[in-house]
Amino acid sequence: KNKIYPEHLGELFCEVYEHLYIERGTFPKKSPMNEAIKLSLNGTYGNSNSEYSVFYDPKFTMTITINGQLSLCMLVEMLRKNIRDIKMIQANTDGITVMYNKKDRDVLFDLVKEWESITKLEMEHVDYSKMIVRDVNNYIAVDMNGGVKRKGAYEYDGLGWHQNHSALVIKKSAEHFLVYGGDYKEYILNHKDAYDFMLRTKVDRSSRLELERYCVFGQLESVEQLQNICRYYPSKDGGKLVKVMPPLKGKEENGERRLSIDKEWNVQPCNNMDDFKWDIDYDYYITETEKLISFAEIEEKE
């Protein structure tokens, strides 16, 4: 819309990009074709900062980023200047969330329309009845129809296989409490999906994972090497999970480096679900849920 393009590709880039953007809108959201075109559009921007890509042009990358951020700052300024008592909930690189009085709704939408005419960009909007916000990238938002949007630390629904599915019971129990007012401890203790208790860690080929088991007197009893991508769960009967890394370059005399994973807890490896026993240390999940709850701020419409 603003004719920003990689310098060596020319303005034709904008025409092709817009054609793809319009084509994406002809497919339902989350459909394979919609997602494929979304990936190509987003990937083009990402690759503009890669020296190995045909789209490489750092000036193009920074122009989009800085222009977008300043444009949103301008919108925030317009809203704060013209709507009394408006409250900024959050702002990130592609949108803002605000709380305002219903009587100011028309003014707000007129200001957004004015902003759109200046920037040549289009805003979408959604009304929320409730937001639970840890920070700008981690939150739960409940729309007026009861639909729940989850981001970051609270996200568990619809995760891709490439994403981390660790300890989903923590996110679910936090939502159970924050959105529905339920008892998170009871939710965890009565949860029956074993997969939701699993965590995952991985190390590169130059490192290894070890499980150290100690006797009741605190002496090291055994060391077991685990596979580099490892599934596990906290258990009082388990051992200590340790990542062993090669020495730093030039400091070989210091030997291998050792990093504890979830060091305050004992864990059981469980790469085969046939090895799973319900010997879970529920205190781990309760503690982590309480972190998600305590850091959250709740905004709710009156």
Side-chain angles (χ1 to χ4, degrees):
K1 292 295 185 181
N2 290 285
K3 304 305 177 193
I4 300 169
Y5 49 85
E7 205 164 298
H8 59 289
L9 295 180
E11 201 168 309
L12 179 62
F13 170 88
C14 297
E15 294 177 32
V16 176
Y17 196 91
E18 184 173 24
H19 173 77
L20 281 170
Y21 176 80
I22 292 168
E23 185 181 358
R24 182 191 169 205
T26 64
F27 298 99
K29 276 195 172 184
K30 301 296 181 182
S31 68
M33 282 302 297
N34 186 292
E35 291 293 304
I37 297 174
K38 177 184 177 181
L39 186 62
S40 67
L41 292 170
N42 289 348
T44 300
Y45 170 74
N47 284 328
S48 69
N49 204 34
S50 168
E51 60 184 298
Y52 303 105
S53 172
V54 68
F55 300 111
Y56 183 56
D57 181 354
K59 181 185 174 185
F60 168 78
T61 313
M62 292 300 106
T63 300
I64 288 176
T65 303
I66 296 168
N67 186 59
Q69 290 171 341
L70 291 176
S71 296
L72 282 172
C73 286
M74 177 170 64
L75 177 59
V76 171
E77 187 177 38
M78 290 167 68
L79 295 176
R80 288 178 63 88
K81 194 178 284 185
N82 292 281
I83 300 177
R84 187 179 177 182
D85 298 330
I86 193 168
K87 181 178 181 181
M88 300 301 307
I89 305 298
Q90 61 178 20
N92 57 20
T93 55
D94 60 359
I96 62 173
T97 310
V98 299
M99 182 182 283
Y100 62 94
N101 194 303
K102 281 182 181 176
K103 67 179 177 60
D104 295 317
R105 188 174 179 85
D106 289 342
V107 177
L108 183 140
F109 276 82
D110 286 343
L111 289 167
V112 170
K113 200 173 288 184
E114 181 185 343
W115 179 85
E116 289 176 327
S117 68
I118 295 168
T119 62
K120 300 179 184 174
L121 301 173
E122 291 179 16
M123 273 282 186
E124 297 176 343
H125 85 277
V126 60
D127 292 322
Y128 295 133
S129 62
K130 185 175 188 176
M131 283 196 78
I132 297 108
V133 183
R134 190 180 82 177
D135 53 58
V136 70
N137 295 316
N138 299 277
Y139 63 87
I140 302 173
V142 184
D143 66 31
M144 304 304 284
N145 297 315
V148 180
K149 178 181 179 180
R150 309 167 184 94
K151 283 292 181 183
Y154 300 94
E155 189 174 5
Y156 64 80
D157 193 36
L159 293 173
W161 290 114
H162 64 289
Q163 293 175 283
N164 194 342
H165 292 243
S166 288
L168 297 186
V169 68
I170 294 170
K171 304 176 181 193
K172 291 180 179 181
S173 60
E175 180 181 307
H176 182 66
F177 173 79
L178 291 166
V179 176
Y180 306 107
D183 186 322
Y184 63 90
K185 291 182 182 178
E186 190 178 301
Y187 184 95
I188 291 169
L189 294 172
N190 292 310
H191 198 67
K192 297 305 178 189
D193 188 338
Y195 287 98
D196 283 352
F197 290 96
M198 298 296 153
L199 292 96
R200 184 267 285 159
T201 190
K202 61 179 180 178
V203 300
D204 58 35
R205 292 180 183 179
S206 65
S207 303
R208 65 182 185 275
L209 278 174
E210 291 182 350
L211 186 74
E212 300 177 344
R213 294 189 184 272
Y214 293 83
C215 67
V216 289
F217 303 108
Q219 293 176 318
L220 183 62
E221 202 169 58
S222 65
V223 177
E224 175 188 356
Q225 184 171 342
L226 306 173
Q227 60 190 53
N228 282 24
I229 299 176
C230 182
R231 184 169 59 188
Y232 66 96
Y233 62 94
S235 163
K236 290 179 180 176
D237 298 326
K240 297 295 184 183
L241 191 59
V242 180
K243 176 182 179 181
V244 184
M245 299 169 286
L248 289 171
K249 244 181 186 176
K251 295 188 177 180
E252 284 78 8
E253 70 278 3
N254 293 338
E256 293 180 318
R257 294 168 291 151
R258 303 178 68 81
L259 176 69
S260 295
I261 298 170
D262 284 319
K263 66 178 181 179
E264 295 176 14
W265 308 90
N266 289 334
V267 306
Q268 286 279 23
C270 190
N271 293 306
N272 186 330
M273 287 303 288
D274 290 340
D275 298 331
F276 175 73
K277 302 173 293 199
W278 285 95
D279 55 337
I280 291 170
D281 188 346
Y282 289 102
D283 288 343
Y284 170 86
Y285 302 94
I286 291 169
T287 300
E288 293 302 309
T289 299
E290 287 172 346
K291 289 178 187 176
L292 279 186
I293 291 169
S294 63
F295 286 125
E297 292 185 18
I298 301 176
E299 302 286 353
E300 196 163 10
K301 79 174 184 68
E302 295 177 0

